[in-house]
Amino acid sequence: MINPWSSSDFFDYERLKKEFGIEEMNYNFDNFLFRRHLILGQRSIDYIDYALKNSLKFNVMTGLMPSGEMHLGNKSAIDQVIFFQKLGGRVSIAVADLESYSTRGISLEKARNVAIEKYILNYIAMGLEPCEIYFQSKNSDVQFLAYMLGNRTNMNELRSLYGFTDTHDLLHINSPLIQAADVLHTQMKKYGGPAPTVVPVGFDQDPHIRLMRDLSKRMRIFNIQYDRDLIVSVRGKDDPKEFIDLAYDYLSKTYTNVKKDYEYRVVRCEGVSEGDLVKIDLDLANIESKYNDFTFVPPSATYQKLMKGLKGGKMSSSVPDSLISLNDDPKEAKRKIMSGMTGGRDTEEEQRRLGGEPEKCPIFDLYNYEIEDDKYVKEVYEDCKNGRRMCGFCKREIAEKMAGWLSELSKKREEAREKLSLYIHE
């Protein structure tokens, strides 16, 4: 079981992928995070790939927990959001002030201040274009949808996913439904209707992704299954005839061997290839949306590898010297980097003879996650591995680069303050 509120250690990513059915990231998006395999897994990313290749609308969704510093360890999610926005994605960002109140006791007023000063201004300074940024406590659509989703799950499922016990208060238990509503509300009719939606997350957030994907399917009338043949089932208690006929008529336009079964509430279709499934599901979602206000395409997800903290472990707000905050003074950031751990050997002679271990090195992670030049980062890796680079040189070099970047970001942050009204609508 993964606890999305208190996971603190690095994961066995391969075991998690196998255990929970997270697929390999085998789509070649033109972004360094994907090229360097810092995005290790995905769910249903073929929906986003299909949308891009066919110029279809798609959503990009993320959230922020307003409880601490935005740091380099959680920056890669917004890097992905900006990347997908440039490809045409419609971005929504939830400020999880209700969740921070229910799980961490942070007041709504404090959450608002932290969200703006520590996160949103940095997002804009990093290049995020105008989009929908909202506070959970102010969004009635999210609250209404969370209420409706509550009718599609039960305590047994939530216990299984999150380990809830009788001692957990109801606010905490309700928070996963709020998160699911954050993502799924972007497909409600007033927001443009059903569409592929990508959510960049860490592996610790997978329980939320699994829940919201299951809930999205339970809200649907049409659900598809594939095992050599396609089966479209019709959910609900009402007479299925109308919807079976709709699915039958749609499939019959492309395929010849289509059969409908009113008793078992299904339409069966032979001759469908796996490559057709995304198109069929999206087409059926658009047909269904005329009758069902809660027609959702199960959200896609990308899973990112954790960035190492400068003191070992993952970069975390609980260890201030382990992280580089985006609001850090450049001199303070340089100090932290210069005192950080490395993957180097004990002596210079051993380093030249044996080479360093960049895959274990927090300093190399700064290159890997923050420098976009693939060729240069590869040279750094190989020079370290072959003993041609010393740790002191790497520390001084990346410290100067990060200090310069933070200084420039600070200037852009003040410019961003004048643009807040383009992002936050209340």
Side-chain angles (χ1 to χ4, degrees):
M1 182 181 296
I2 303 172
N3 185 337
W5 295 286
S6 65
S7 296
S8 58
D9 298 324
F10 281 93
F11 300 108
D12 182 339
Y13 298 113
E14 294 307 314
R15 183 184 66 81
L16 287 180
K17 285 192 284 186
K18 183 177 180 180
E19 184 172 342
F20 295 111
I22 299 170
E23 298 179 72
E24 295 291 336
M25 177 49 73
N26 49 10
Y27 289 80
N28 298 317
F29 295 113
D30 189 16
N31 177 274
F32 73 94
L33 292 169
F34 293 91
R35 291 193 299 268
R36 295 176 197 165
H37 305 292
L38 299 174
I39 311 300
L40 291 178
Q42 53 90 6
R43 290 192 188 274
S44 295
I45 202 68
D46 50 342
Y47 279 72
I48 304 302
D49 186 61
Y50 181 86
L52 289 169
K53 288 177 178 175
N54 291 277
S55 301
L56 301 180
K57 65 181 181 181
F58 71 99
N59 301 321
V60 188
M61 178 70 208
T62 193
L64 65 93
M65 177 67 81
S67 61
E69 294 284 340
M70 181 184 178
H71 54 77
L72 296 183
N74 52 35
K75 172 176 167 285
S76 57
I78 200 66
D79 285 335
Q80 290 181 70
V81 167
I82 293 171
F83 167 69
F84 283 119
Q85 185 182 52
K86 289 178 180 177
L87 295 179
R90 187 178 72 85
V91 172
S92 299
I93 299 175
V95 178
D97 58 344
L98 289 180
E99 186 179 1
S100 65
Y101 176 77
S102 65
T103 63
R104 304 188 184 186
I106 296 172
S107 71
L108 300 182
E109 181 180 0
K110 180 179 178 181
R112 180 183 180 85
N113 182 65
V114 170
I116 292 173
E117 297 298 327
K118 303 295 187 182
Y119 290 83
I120 296 172
L121 291 176
N122 281 312
Y123 291 178
I124 300 171
M126 287 165 58
L128 182 70
E129 295 295 331
C131 61
E132 179 201 15
I133 300 180
Y134 67 90
F135 293 79
Q136 289 173 336
S137 61
K138 303 287 187 181
N139 192 313
S140 58
D141 292 324
V142 168
Q143 295 176 39
F144 169 71
L145 182 55
Y147 178 83
M148 299 300 289
L149 293 175
N151 195 38
R152 293 293 189 272
T153 187
N154 56 50
M155 274 305 299
N156 284 337
E157 180 177 34
L158 296 180
R159 285 192 186 100
S160 175
L161 279 169
Y162 299 103
F164 287 144
T165 68
D166 292 342
T167 63
H168 283 88
D169 59 69
L170 293 180
L171 278 177
H172 194 162
I173 291 170
N174 190 53
S175 63
L177 295 176
I178 292 287
Q179 281 217 14
D182 280 325
V183 173
L184 297 181
H185 93 280
T186 63
Q187 300 185 51
M188 293 173 71
K189 190 172 294 184
K190 68 185 288 186
Y191 297 95
T197 302
V198 61
V199 189
V201 295
F203 280 79
D204 59 337
Q205 299 301 300
D206 185 57
H208 293 321
I209 297 296
R210 280 182 277 144
L211 177 65
M212 66 183 68
R213 283 174 58 81
D214 286 344
L215 289 172
S216 70
K217 295 172 185 176
R218 294 170 199 166
M219 300 297 280
R220 287 281 292 272
I221 295 172
F222 292 129
N223 273 271
I224 66 173
Q225 295 174 291
Y226 182 78
D227 184 9
R228 290 181 294 182
D229 295 337
L230 174 73
I231 299 175
V232 179
S233 60
V234 175
R235 295 197 179 206
K237 298 179 180 178
D238 298 327
D239 185 349
K241 186 175 185 300
E242 178 183 9
F243 295 104
I244 288 175
D245 289 344
L246 285 170
Y248 177 85
D249 291 344
Y250 161 71
L251 291 168
S252 295
K253 292 176 182 178
T254 305
Y255 305 98
T256 55
N257 199 347
V258 184
K259 299 176 182 178
K260 50 188 174 183
D261 188 324
Y262 294 126
E263 181 180 357
Y264 289 97
R265 307 174 69 98
V266 298
V267 178
R268 300 176 186 275
C269 182
E270 297 179 7
V272 176
S273 71
E274 277 194 87
D276 295 336
L277 296 182
V278 172
K279 180 182 187 304
I280 291 172
D281 190 31
L282 294 178
D283 288 346
L284 287 174
N286 286 324
I287 293 170
E288 179 184 330
S289 65
K290 297 178 177 64
Y291 307 88
N292 177 15
D293 290 338
F294 303 109
T295 304
F296 304 123
V297 177
S300 307
T302 60
Y303 294 82
Q304 60 206 39
K305 184 179 179 181
L306 289 173
M307 189 178 191
K308 299 178 187 67
L310 295 173
K311 295 299 184 182
K314 77 170 185 177
M315 195 170 282
S316 170
S317 297
S318 62
V319 186
D321 268 12
S322 78
L323 62 83
I324 302 296
S325 164
L326 271 66
N327 290 68
D328 268 348
D329 179 272
K331 291 182 179 178
E332 176 67 0
K334 289 173 71 172
R335 180 195 67 78
K336 291 180 182 179
I337 292 171
M338 294 306 297
S339 64
M341 296 173 60
T342 73
R345 305 295 177 174
D346 291 339
T347 67
E348 180 176 333
E349 185 276 328
E350 284 186 341
Q351 179 86 352
R352 295 190 184 282
R353 178 167 55 86
L354 301 175
E357 297 179 286
E359 60 278 352
K360 298 181 180 180
C361 182
I363 301 302
F364 179 72
D365 261 17
L366 295 176
Y367 285 92
N368 210 17
Y369 282 82
E370 304 303 330
I371 305 298
E372 293 191 27
D373 187 336
D374 289 336
K375 182 180 178 181
Y376 184 69
V377 173
K378 184 178 179 181
E379 288 176 358
V380 172
Y381 180 89
E382 291 178 348
D383 284 350
C384 173
K385 201 76 174 169
N386 294 324
R388 294 190 293 268
R389 262 184 176 257
M390 299 297 109
C391 298
F393 179 84
C394 274
K395 281 186 173 183
R396 289 188 295 273
E397 181 180 57
I398 199 64
E400 288 297 329
K401 288 181 182 292
M402 293 310 305
W405 182 78
L406 288 170
S407 179
E408 185 64 24
L409 188 71
S410 177
K411 296 175 186 175
K412 293 180 179 178
R413 204 160 44 234
E414 291 311 306
E415 297 170 7
R417 197 175 295 278
E418 304 300 317
K419 304 176 184 178
L420 276 172
S421 62
L422 299 176
Y423 297 79
I424 302 174
H425 308 283
E426 296 180 339

